[in-house]
Amino acid sequence: MGGPGDPPEGLPEGAPSGGEDEYRSVVFDESFVRAARLQEYSAQERMADHAPAVRRRPLLHRALPRQALILVLLIAVAFATAIYMGVRHPYQAPRAQTVEPLRMTVIPLAPQSAVPGATDPEALYAHSPAAQFRVGAQGITFPAARRTAHFSESQVYAALSNAKNYLVASSLDPAVLTGGAVRPVRLLLDPQQLDQFDQSFSHPASDGRHAATGWLVRFDPSRARLADQDIRVQGTLQATEADSDTLEVSADHTVVYALKPAGSDAKAKASLFTVRRQLTFRFDRDDLHLNQAELVAAYVQAGPLTCAEDTANHLRPLLAGQTAKAGGPAGTDPFATGSATALCGTLSTSAEPKV
């Protein structure tokens, strides 16, 4: 027998039992009804207001799931933090700066008599003003790094260290001194100076801007070689703040080399060659981060040399027993723009070894 809602003759064969089962897929629960956009007016409402049969209900906003709400909050906090750190960051973004070209002066020092020499380079050092100098990079020292108004102690130390690295590469590396290598020095320069650096070696000139010997120390390999790898060095490094974005390092070092004629044997006499380099470096924050330097001024005195010889490309030292040639540097036209006045000095006898 069928249920209360079934036909008198019962359900057809194969039909689902229970009247509600047949319409289960189209029965709407209470939440579905409440969410409907259209709602039918009651009969009384239609009679009173002559309203249409249905009315549109306002859209109900469902609450965001908890996970979505948390994600939105996290994004908002991260965005606010980024803005706060950008405003409160202790260091301002560095301003774009144009690196100055290097200004250089190379002054040859001519001996007043024959260059002293000895078979043993140590004997020359022992009887010269370089007797108390340290060997190699040990002679390039600097005071304790102290913070400035706009640079930390570690940044000042980095500037001093970068300047020292440049001095070691440009005045103590045997491959640079007599082998013609320039890459060890080039790698330490600010990229904005590389064009000037490259031109100084491809077309060296004594014009105060493009002398290879203003960037580094190198001897003519056809004339001289190192007689002793223990080069003597003495000098100082000082760091100051040029402005809020720049540190300036002043270097003043005297470097003494023992040289012998190129291709000579161990019995050949050695002589001393002295170079005093006064260099000025500048470092912005990018230079400090990238371990590079801006060399803006170089004042170099070197001897014994002959004043008549060009020192733009190589230093051509006078060796043991040699004397300076007569005459001074070639004439300079004071009306020629961009040409520096040629200079030459005299090497004091007190600077030479007493042998």
Side-chain angles (χ1 to χ4, degrees):
M1 182 174 179
D6 295 339
E9 64 276 10
L11 294 171
E13 185 178 354
S17 62
E20 70 277 5
D21 291 340
E22 182 177 358
Y23 303 100
R24 184 179 303 277
S25 61
V26 296
V27 173
F28 307 118
D29 59 14
E30 184 178 356
S31 64
F32 181 85
V33 174
R34 288 183 177 180
R37 297 293 304 279
L38 298 178
Q39 182 183 34
E40 184 179 5
Y41 284 100
S42 66
Q44 184 177 0
E45 289 174 325
R46 291 197 300 272
M47 291 175 61
D49 297 332
H50 304 283
V54 296
R55 62 183 173 184
R56 186 175 296 275
R57 299 180 63 186
L59 182 63
L60 296 178
H61 297 282
R62 292 188 176 183
L64 288 174
R66 179 177 298 178
Q67 294 86 347
L69 181 60
I70 294 176
L71 179 60
V72 171
L73 289 175
L74 288 176
I75 293 174
V77 171
F79 186 70
T81 302
I83 294 176
Y84 175 81
M85 292 301 294
V87 173
R88 301 288 296 177
H89 197 280
Y91 301 115
Q92 297 179 352
R95 296 174 298 179
Q97 295 183 356
T98 302
V99 176
E100 294 183 18
L102 172 60
R103 307 181 310 276
M104 60 183 72
T105 303
V106 181
I107 301 178
L109 301 177
Q112 301 180 51
S113 58
V115 177
T119 304
D120 182 13
E122 291 294 334
L124 290 173
Y125 283 127
H127 293 88
S128 76
Q132 304 302 319
F133 286 13
R134 294 183 178 182
V135 175
Q138 297 178 5
I140 304 176
T141 60
F142 46 83
R146 300 184 182 277
R147 65 174 296 114
T148 66
H150 299 91
F151 290 88
S152 66
E153 179 180 315
S154 62
Q155 289 175 315
V156 174
Y157 181 83
L160 292 168
S161 297
N162 291 348
K164 178 176 180 176
N165 292 339
Y166 186 93
L167 289 167
V168 171
S170 63
S171 59
L172 299 178
D173 187 344
V176 173
L177 295 173
T178 57
V182 299
R183 182 175 172 79
V185 179
R186 191 180 189 275
L187 290 174
L188 299 176
L189 286 170
D190 187 289
Q192 294 187 55
Q193 289 192 305
L194 295 183
D195 287 343
Q196 183 188 7
F197 181 88
D198 293 340
Q199 187 175 352
S200 298
F201 291 87
S202 61
H203 300 90
S206 299
D207 60 358
R209 287 290 189 271
H210 301 98
T213 49
W215 297 96
L216 50 81
V217 178
R218 68 173 185 172
F219 303 107
D220 185 345
S222 66
R223 179 169 297 190
R225 65 177 180 87
L226 290 175
D228 188 353
Q229 299 288 332
D230 293 337
I231 300 166
R232 304 307 200 266
V233 184
Q234 180 171 281
T236 59
L237 284 170
Q238 295 291 334
T240 58
E241 185 175 300
D243 55 50
S244 60
D245 295 309
T246 310
L247 281 173
E248 185 170 286
V249 175
S250 300
D252 187 352
H253 291 81
T254 300
V255 189
V256 184
Y257 308 87
L259 303 177
K260 285 187 176 183
S264 62
D265 56 23
K267 296 181 180 180
K269 287 187 175 182
S271 58
L272 297 185
F273 189 89
T274 303
V275 178
R276 183 178 179 182
R277 304 178 79 199
Q278 295 170 283
L279 308 180
T280 301
F281 301 91
R282 286 183 186 158
F283 302 90
D284 58 26
R285 289 184 171 83
D286 286 340
D287 293 326
L288 297 177
H289 177 70
L290 298 173
N291 295 322
Q292 61 193 21
E294 302 171 19
L295 182 59
V296 297
Y299 183 82
V300 181
Q301 298 175 333
L305 289 168
T306 294
C307 291
E309 295 214 41
D310 184 14
T311 59
N313 192 21
H314 291 94
L315 298 176
R316 297 178 171 85
L318 294 173
L319 302 172
Q322 295 180 337
T323 57
K325 296 179 181 179
T332 300
D333 181 3
F335 294 95
T337 59
S339 179
T341 302
L343 299 172
C344 187
T346 301
L347 182 64
S348 172
T349 55
S350 63
E352 297 180 316
K354 306 295 188 292
V355 294

